[in-house]
Amino acid sequence: MTQPRTRVPRLRSSLLTGLLALNLAACSRPGTPQADVAARGPNAPIQAQTMTAICRPQVSGATVVQYGGAGLGTFPDNNFDIIPNGNNTFKFLGTGFQSFYGGAYNSYLTGTLDDPDANGATMGSVTQNVKAGSGGGYDNRANNRRYVGVVQVYRAASNNWIGLYHSEQDQAGGNNFYNRLGLARSTDGGNTWYDLGEIVSPHVPYSPTSTAWPLIANTIFQIVNDGGTDYMVVYFSEQQGTEYDPNWSTSYWMTAARAKLSDVLAAAAGGNVPAFSKYYNGSWSQPGLGGDASLVLNGNAHIGTLASVYNTALGRYIAVGSRNSDPAGGGAYLIESTDGVNWGGTQGLFTENNVGYFRTVGLDGDDARAGSTFFIYYVQFVNGNPTNIARRTVTCDTSGDTVVDDGLTGTGQNQWQYQGTWGTSTGNQDGRYAGTSHYSNTANAAALLRFTGTQVRLSVNCGTGGGNLALSIGDANAANFGAETSASNYCASHQGDEFVYDSGALPAGGHTLRVRVTGTKPTASVGTYADLDRAVVSTTASTTVDDNTVGTGQNQWEYQGGWSLSGGNSDGRYAGTSHYSNVANAAALLRFTGTQVKLRLNCGGGGNLAVSVGDANAANFGPETTVSNYCGAHVGDVEAYRSGPLSPGGHTLRVRVTGTKPDNSLGTYSDLDRAVILP
């Protein structure tokens, strides 16, 4: 937990600093496991298996969706959960403070993914019926267990929620605490919680006369299937010494404990918890209460405020954690796991100071599963207190394409060479790829990109001052350029990382992309700027078919039934357009030649689509696959369907409006953005 404004003892302040300092920065383990035992105490981390990342993350800028504590004092004061209510509303459930000694309450906001407290805030109850032997009454200062905060919920049924909580019990004098993890149950949608018991505690036992203990923090859970059995796996950060270490950024290790999910539910029905086992030396062999534990994150062992979800596009578990003591600055890392036990493949996501308490959810708000594009919600700290909830959109690109950021400069392969007068804009959080762009309004200033591949695409930082660009492709020596193609850097409202150019298929080998500033502009623009964001180089050329390429020929959309066009948008839709319908059994056909097709949608209050692939004559369609056009918050150009390998030759993609919708959606619309065809 963090320090509220009303309480200022020294150790509580250092605790807050530590929470923000927990990170995924690179840090080698000293010595062998035996040396670690001597250096750090009996709870020695064992090196996890190596994991190679397959997600290539593309991250949007930050959008603040909720300011201040929404009437709950400090909120959220710990990790928090996002729970669908129906009708496109959600509960943001966490812990709220009125004052430090006045107690922490399991509370929630009710609203949308764009506005979490649109429908108000509810100060819930304290966790009731605390078990004997676990520290006494919740708000009883004599027993000093003054914090129990639910951080994540497993919804077994609408009236049977199991909440994972973090608790704190003061030492004598109140300047430090002994913390444990436990489970609670709610039968009224999170308004009231009843303590079921504790499941995890530090490897050093509680003593009322101790001056400090090693701490446990940053807990979440994931349902993981192992050998056909579902387990509730609880991840947490545990200090490894025999007493409290104020250097949080180097004293925490990501560890785990688990129990069978069936045992958790059976015990909860009886008002209890099953025994959890900590992961140690390659097996789940140590007791959750008081046992030793081993490292489950390879290499980059220090982690804070983790959030996990299963990614269906990757076929892997992914998690996001803070990196506030990284030399590059604060922000977040992404890690991956194939089995929910061994984690690694650490990658930086974004840089932003004073952030933590992450929650990763699918575009529909699902906190258990997500696709290739998903949301990260997190807390921004102001003056040391959790103040705002912000959101970023992340897309995992697994295509194998090469991304060349505008900031990669030079005259070699996959580097930008800027000629003439160009400026650089860095440190942005507005949707630009990697937060940077290069800009110029000097006529005939140019940018050259030498690359090897069969296709190149260009994205720009698009806005009201954008001008016209002239693009051409030359040989590997930056000579013999072909005819120029015009593109625009203008958008009616700002849009970072907006793709405006696609070379189409090129012969395999070396090429050079040239982007020239023309000094001219569209009529509506107020400037003539070129503002380059990144290029994407492919070795397997794909064909993009925009929704507004209409007809009955190859690489054209044929719309059957009631469809409408939405054009001129600057909200992330490819080329600013989409076609939409909510007429049951209306269909869209796309005839193409290739070995795979991908469908991308304009995602919002959408319904269910039925997608199938037929032959070149738009006949003999195979089984339909149901996909959703629903997102809890609008996202343009989202991949919703991938056909899998097809035989070489002609095919037809059919998208049918079903007239049905996911439970939490408000509508039944299909909203098509584009298709991508692989040869």
Side-chain angles (χ1 to χ4, degrees), residues 119-490:
N119 299 329
T122 301
M123 178 66 75
S125 68
V126 299
T127 304
Q128 303 179 24
N129 190 32
V130 176
K131 294 290 180 181
S134 62
Y138 164 81
D139 210 14
N140 185 336
R141 294 297 298 171
N143 290 301
N144 294 321
R145 189 171 184 243
R146 48 94 174 116
Y147 188 105
V148 178
V150 173
V151 298
Q152 190 176 354
V153 176
Y154 178 79
R155 301 180 299 283
S158 60
N159 61 349
N160 185 19
W161 290 11
I162 309 299
L164 173 66
Y165 69 71
H166 163 104
S167 73
E168 299 173 7
Q169 179 178 352
D170 279 350
Q171 72 170 79
N175 283 336
N176 194 15
F177 55 80
Y178 189 85
N179 58 319
R180 307 172 180 90
L181 310 178
L183 298 178
R185 186 185 185 203
S186 176
T187 59
D188 59 4
N191 291 307
T192 307
W193 291 94
Y194 295 91
D195 188 19
L196 299 172
E198 292 164 345
I199 58 173
V200 173
S201 66
H203 57 281
V204 176
Y206 171 78
S207 169
T209 60
S210 176
T211 57
W213 305 273
L215 300 182
I216 285 177
N218 310 314
T219 184
I220 60 162
F221 70 80
Q222 180 71 54
I223 305 303
V224 175
N225 188 277
D226 183 3
T229 300
D230 285 337
Y231 289 85
M232 176 179 281
V233 180
V234 176
Y235 305 103
F236 51 95
S237 301
E238 182 172 0
Q239 289 186 322
Q240 301 301 306
T242 58
E243 61 182 27
Y244 173 74
D245 185 343
N247 189 2
W248 290 60
S249 65
T250 58
S251 64
Y252 262 72
W253 300 86
M254 179 178 168
T255 56
R258 77 176 190 180
K260 291 182 180 179
L261 180 60
S262 59
D263 290 348
V264 170
L265 298 178
N272 294 292
V273 294
F276 274 67
S277 299
K278 287 184 180 178
Y279 186 74
Y280 184 68
N281 278 356
S283 65
W284 304 91
S285 57
Q286 287 283 306
L289 294 172
D292 290 338
S294 295
L295 173 70
V296 297
L297 173 61
N298 178 266
N300 297 24
H302 310 297
I303 187 167
T305 58
L306 187 74
S308 171
V309 70
Y310 183 75
N311 191 286
T312 56
L314 303 180
R316 288 186 172 190
Y317 302 95
I318 60 171
V320 176
S322 58
R323 63 171 194 177
N324 289 80
S325 62
D326 190 303
Y333 272 116
L334 178 72
I335 57 177
E336 301 179 17
S337 174
T338 58
D339 59 7
V341 180
N342 295 285
W343 293 80
T346 308
Q347 301 184 78
L349 282 180
F350 62 86
T351 299
E352 182 180 352
N353 290 321
N354 301 315
V355 298
Y357 300 156
F358 293 86
R359 171 54 57 201
T360 306
V361 296
L363 296 181
D364 57 357
D366 189 340
D367 65 352
R369 300 171 71 85
S372 59
T373 301
F374 53 91
F375 293 133
I376 298 173
Y377 286 81
Y378 59 95
V379 174
Q380 297 173 328
F381 291 77
V382 178
N383 297 325
N385 287 302
T387 303
N388 304 323
I389 298 176
R391 182 183 73 216
R392 292 177 185 259
T393 305
V394 180
T395 298
C396 282
D397 178 9
T398 59
S399 65
D401 293 343
T402 299
V403 174
V404 186
D405 182 50
D406 70 284
L408 296 175
T409 59
T411 58
Q413 283 279 295
N414 298 328
Q415 294 179 329
W416 287 100
Q417 178 187 359
Y418 293 99
Q419 300 175 333
T421 303
W422 291 82
T424 304
S425 180
T426 62
N428 303 286
Q429 298 178 18
D430 57 1
R432 286 178 240 205
Y433 182 82
T436 69
S437 66
H438 271 72
Y439 59 90
S440 177
N441 66 347
T442 302
N444 295 315
L448 304 181
L449 174 68
R450 297 166 178 87
F451 66 94
T452 299
T454 57
Q455 185 179 37
V456 64
R457 294 180 292 142
L458 175 72
S459 82
V460 301
N461 182 47
C462 191
T464 57
N468 296 317
L469 315 177
L471 301 103
S472 54
I473 300 292
D475 61 26
N477 299 314
N480 301 312
F481 286 92
E484 290 185 323
T485 298
S486 296
S488 174
N489 212 132
Y490 169 76

